[in-house]
Amino acid sequence: MSTHEAELSKSVTPPAKQQKTSRKRIAGLFREIWKYRLSYLFISPFVIAFILFILLPVLAAFGLSFTDFNTIQFPKFIGWDNYEYIFSQDTLFLKHAFPNTIKFAVLVGPGGLILSFILAWLIAQIPDKIRLWFVLAIYAPSLTGGVVMQIIWQPLLSGDRIGYLNSFLLKLGIIDEPQLWVLDPAYLMNSMIIVTLWSSMGVGFLAMLAGILNVDETLYEAGRLDGIKSRLQEIWYITIPYMRPQMLFASVMAIVSAFKAGAIGEQLSQTKPTPEYAGHTLVNHIDDYGLVRFEMGYAAALSVVLLITIYIFNRLSWRLFGTKGE
């Protein structure tokens, strides 16, 4: 036997030996799981909830996106037809839903992130005794539902002379006649953005505040010795790099919240759809096909498009605030 044939025979493992090696690996895996059984027991509620309420619905939506399903008849497999229709024939999606969603998310997501950081930094400078009240005042709007926001903002954005904003601007002479802030297509998107920013100081804002308060004071002292001369330089070179995990968490929450908050347009204008589809977002489009027309297969395809869009924006957040270790 030649040297080459001998090496080849050594490299080929008999099937029986492969099966024995596989059994050993599986047995070792089960021993490892049993060793940490209490840990797995504690995380099992989250894992079960994640599978039941997140993983399975996402897989079901992905599967239904390839079908024609009206909630009555059994789903009929149609392949890529739903996706072809979305990107080639659905003019409402191409002209209004998708562009409005991107515009809304781009302005509300980064805008909410920047606003959260600025307010968190300002509140961090307040003494501990009164800081809690400012945190509660800023965090409280995020706890209100859409109906509460509608009650608060509709009198402010009312289109008649007694609306608070119109009355104020008329007295200052900035406008000559009342403006339809939530019914005029030219103003509706701006109103949606302002209202959403007002209500966006949620968990991300608290994460920002916690990150700022946990920055080691000795880092600032070392920075001053190294030549940092202003608070702005402290923020840029010390505060932001030190709280990258909190920034990442807040950015992901801001992006997801921005994509989910598109329904505020219908709540403000009290019309369905919004005037000239000025506030029509992808969330409204999904609701229209899923809950009004009962075209669940097409609604599932739109949901998959929304999920992929959110994933892309979240990857951008990881690029900005994530680290190699993460």
Side-chain angles (χ1 to χ4, degrees):
M1 183 182 294
S2 63
T3 306
H4 178 70
E5 291 176 349
E7 292 178 354
L8 184 62
S9 62
K10 291 180 181 178
S11 63
V12 177
T13 305
K17 191 173 182 180
Q18 287 182 349
Q19 293 178 0
K20 187 176 180 180
T21 303
S22 300
R23 285 196 295 268
K24 285 183 178 180
R25 289 178 179 176
I26 294 174
L29 177 62
F30 278 108
R31 282 196 300 269
E32 196 73 14
I33 293 174
W34 181 253
K35 180 180 178 181
Y36 298 102
R37 57 189 180 278
L38 289 178
S39 301
Y40 287 108
L41 180 64
F42 280 114
I43 67 172
S44 60
F46 168 79
V47 173
I48 294 171
F50 175 80
I51 293 173
L52 291 178
F53 300 109
I54 296 180
L55 182 60
L56 290 181
V58 168
L59 294 177
F62 185 75
L64 287 175
S65 68
F66 295 99
T67 66
D68 180 12
F69 182 41
N70 59 7
T71 72
I72 298 176
Q73 298 173 325
F74 191 80
K76 178 183 177 183
F77 181 77
I78 58 175
W80 294 94
D81 289 359
N82 286 330
Y83 294 99
E84 291 178 2
Y85 185 82
I86 289 175
F87 295 105
S88 62
Q89 301 182 48
D90 192 346
T91 55
L92 186 57
F93 171 85
L94 297 173
K95 290 181 62 176
H96 299 286
F98 193 72
N100 287 344
T101 300
I102 297 299
K103 177 183 177 181
F104 183 80
V106 166
L107 293 176
V108 170
L113 182 67
I114 295 171
L115 186 60
S116 296
F117 178 81
I118 293 174
L119 290 176
W121 186 85
L122 292 174
I123 290 176
Q125 314 308 312
I126 299 174
D128 296 343
K129 293 182 180 179
I130 59 175
R131 182 186 298 146
L132 177 61
W133 301 105
F134 283 90
V135 174
L136 182 61
I138 294 177
Y139 180 69
S142 66
L143 301 177
T144 61
V147 176
V148 177
M149 285 194 294
Q150 178 181 337
I151 294 173
I152 294 173
W153 282 91
Q154 275 194 337
L156 179 65
L157 300 176
S158 179
D160 50 26
R161 289 183 176 271
I162 62 174
Y164 295 140
L165 183 57
N166 277 333
S167 177
F168 179 72
L169 295 179
L170 286 170
K171 288 180 180 179
L172 294 179
I174 298 177
I175 58 176
D176 298 325
E177 58 183 14
Q179 302 294 324
L180 302 175
W181 302 109
V182 295
L183 294 176
D184 190 335
Y187 300 124
L188 177 57
M189 178 59 70
N190 295 331
S191 300
M192 292 169 55
I193 292 171
I194 292 172
V195 173
T196 307
L197 285 175
W198 171 80
S199 62
S200 63
M201 303 294 110
V203 179
F205 162 74
L206 295 180
M208 291 274 199
L209 181 60
I212 294 172
L213 293 176
N214 287 327
V215 177
D216 192 350
E217 291 293 332
T218 59
L219 294 176
Y220 294 120
E221 297 175 3
R224 295 187 193 101
L225 294 175
D226 288 339
I228 291 180
K229 299 178 180 179
S230 66
R231 301 301 293 271
L232 185 60
Q233 288 180 328
E234 286 183 352
I235 293 172
W236 185 256
Y237 292 109
I238 298 177
T239 307
I240 293 178
Y242 190 85
M243 54 178 293
R244 286 170 72 95
Q246 289 84 4
M247 296 283 285
L248 175 62
F249 174 77
S251 65
V252 171
M253 295 298 295
I255 290 171
V256 174
S257 299
F259 278 100
K260 288 170 53 182
I264 189 64
E266 293 180 352
Q267 295 170 349
L268 289 175
S269 63
Q270 291 189 322
T271 59
K272 190 180 181 72
T274 54
E276 297 183 20
Y277 297 101
H280 191 77
T281 64
L282 198 46
V283 172
N284 305 128
H285 209 47
I286 294 171
D287 289 342
D288 180 30
Y289 276 94
L291 304 179
V292 178
R293 309 186 192 193
F294 293 103
E295 297 182 19
M296 289 297 181
Y298 190 71
L302 291 170
S303 301
V304 172
V305 173
L306 177 60
L307 178 64
I308 294 173
T309 306
I310 293 175
Y311 175 78
I312 292 172
F313 276 84
N314 283 338
R315 293 307 302 173
L316 293 176
S317 297
W318 278 92
R319 285 291 185 92
L320 289 174
F321 302 113
T323 61
K324 292 182 179 180
E326 295 169 334

